[in-house]
Amino acid sequence: PALVGDGALMLFSAWEDGRNGGVFNRDIYFSRSPDNGVNWLNPDVRVNNDATTTNQIRPDLAYDQGSGRLYDVWQDGRNSVAEQNQTYDIYFAYSDNDGDTWSTNVMLNDDAGSANQQNPSVAIGPAGEVYVVRQDERNNTADIYLVRSDNGGLPWTPTYFVTDDPDMTPQNHSSPTVAVEDTGGRVDVAWEDLRDPVHPEIYAMWSLNGGVTFGIDVPVTIEPPEARTTYRRDPTLAVQTTEETVEYWDEVEEITKTKTTDVTVIHLAWTDGQGDDTDVYYAYANYMWDPEARETCPYPHDWDFCFKTPQQVNGFVIDSNYVVP
């Protein structure tokens, strides 16, 4: 399920639903609560408007507080050739009445073939821009692509390639997540990265120009191949900017001074491990407004940020596995 709020009392939820066919004909359904989750719509509202018996799965929601528009994206099999071997595209719809009715469904990926597009994530920018990232297999590997709409979902930009690995190399990038910083509009994307196929890592990067170009991919941690023991998957991302008073060294007067500056922090959580030994971890990184702070990064790249040491979130001891969030 996906869950988002309107910033006040309203909650919106969407999920994949098997009431019309639990194996090959799942749909996206929606409900809302006007009172912080105490009461919910009855009946639920179906979002996808296709007449096929194919799957619609893995929804994600975003709400634009400026316009009051609600956005839903999902993985959609309506263009599949075979019911039992479905291939997926990414579809999108919006609602201007808190989910009572939804717009005509629109396909977002622009490839000409039948490659899989999976795991969409949607976020809203400070000026109402809509960003959608997805896992895209048009190059016979899984890559991360992004599209943007500056007009409420109509139309969309051409597809942008996110990661700095060449798009024809045989490593996989999957399970992307997107968030947009609300002051300068930096677009942050994180994903599960298998450039080391034995030890998947979580990578992140941001764009300063609305998702047109991205910088150098930044991993959660830097380990030499012989020291890697992690198995990190399925990230989720948030970003925030706060105004802080910080100290800096004035080279002219040769004294320490203070100034007020915006400090942007990227928050990441993921599952770490395999099978019985799977836990939930978290790490954060702050944008390095001070060039000298880049020296604290554990790798000689001119990065804009690097992540602090990951922290284990769960502390429970129970006789079961933690599920992927």
Side-chain angles (χ1 to χ4, degrees):
L3 181 71
V4 70
D6 71 345
L9 296 176
M10 195 89 72
L11 292 177
F12 308 103
S13 183
W15 61 92
E16 60 184 71
D17 194 301
R19 68 184 70 183
N20 300 318
V23 178
F24 298 121
N25 191 24
R26 282 170 280 173
D27 296 292
I28 304 301
Y29 274 79
F30 166 86
S31 188
R32 74 169 180 269
S33 169
D35 49 16
N36 278 332
V38 177
N39 297 288
W40 291 84
L41 282 180
N42 188 8
D44 306 326
V45 177
R46 181 179 164 183
V47 177
N48 55 292
N49 60 7
D50 66 300
T52 65
T53 56
T54 54
N55 281 334
Q56 284 76 34
I57 60 176
R58 294 184 177 271
D60 195 32
L61 288 173
Y63 181 80
D64 184 355
Q65 295 187 25
S67 68
R69 179 166 284 187
L70 182 65
Y71 299 93
D72 195 351
V73 295
W74 64 90
Q75 184 176 315
D76 196 302
R78 71 182 68 182
N79 299 316
S80 300
V81 175
E83 180 185 79
Q84 298 188 18
N85 186 24
Q86 295 185 29
T87 57
Y88 291 97
D89 299 294
I90 303 303
Y91 272 73
F92 154 87
Y94 66 84
S95 173
D96 288 327
N97 53 16
D98 293 331
D100 284 340
T101 59
W102 292 84
S103 68
T104 300
N105 303 169
V106 175
M107 189 173 76
L108 296 186
N109 49 288
D110 57 2
D111 63 306
S114 59
N116 270 320
Q117 280 79 28
Q118 303 179 76
N119 300 319
S121 176
V122 59
I124 307 298
E129 315 95 321
V130 187
Y131 295 91
V132 178
V133 294
R134 66 177 182 269
Q135 172 184 331
D136 193 305
E137 299 176 8
R138 67 180 66 189
N139 300 312
N140 297 316
T141 62
D143 298 304
I144 307 302
Y145 283 82
L146 176 144
V147 292
R148 184 187 77 243
S149 173
D150 297 328
N151 190 27
L154 298 169
W156 293 87
T157 63
T159 297
Y160 299 132
F161 188 77
V162 174
T163 60
D164 66 10
D165 271 349
D167 58 6
M168 297 302 290
T169 53
Q171 56 263 5
N172 286 329
H173 312 92
S174 58
S175 301
T177 177
V178 62
V180 185
E181 183 265 331
D182 59 4
T183 300
R186 294 184 180 95
V187 182
D188 297 75
V189 180
W191 62 91
E192 174 188 326
D193 195 296
L194 276 82
R195 63 189 74 188
D196 178 351
V198 180
H199 300 292
E201 181 59 275
I202 303 301
Y203 277 72
M205 181 37 60
W206 63 23
S207 170
L208 304 180
N209 56 8
V212 178
T213 58
F214 286 81
I216 299 172
D217 300 348
V218 177
V220 168
T221 57
I222 293 293
E223 297 284 352
E226 65 274 8
R228 292 174 186 162
T229 60
T230 58
Y231 198 92
R232 293 172 173 156
R233 301 183 59 209
D234 298 290
T236 186
L237 173 70
V239 59
Q240 70 181 90
T241 294
T242 55
E243 190 176 82
E244 306 287 348
T245 300
V246 297
E247 293 184 344
Y248 72 100
W249 178 253
D250 188 312
E251 295 183 353
V252 177
E253 299 183 25
E254 296 186 338
I255 59 174
T256 298
K257 293 184 176 181
T258 61
K259 67 177 180 180
T260 300
T261 186
D262 288 337
V263 176
T264 300
V265 180
I266 303 168
H267 305 272
L268 265 177
W270 64 90
T271 55
D272 201 308
Q274 299 181 72
D276 293 340
D277 191 24
T278 298
D279 298 292
V280 178
Y281 272 75
Y282 160 84
Y284 74 93
N286 59 284
Y287 180 74
M288 295 177 179
W289 60 272
D290 180 359
E292 294 182 3
R294 295 179 179 177
E295 297 178 4
T296 66
C297 274
Y299 199 69
H301 263 311
D302 189 21
W303 285 341
D304 288 332
F305 61 91
C306 62
F307 286 93
K308 310 300 182 185
T309 302
Q311 308 169 47
Q312 184 174 330
V313 173
N314 57 285
F316 302 103
V317 180
I318 58 176
D319 188 20
S320 66
N321 297 345
Y322 284 90
V323 298
V324 173

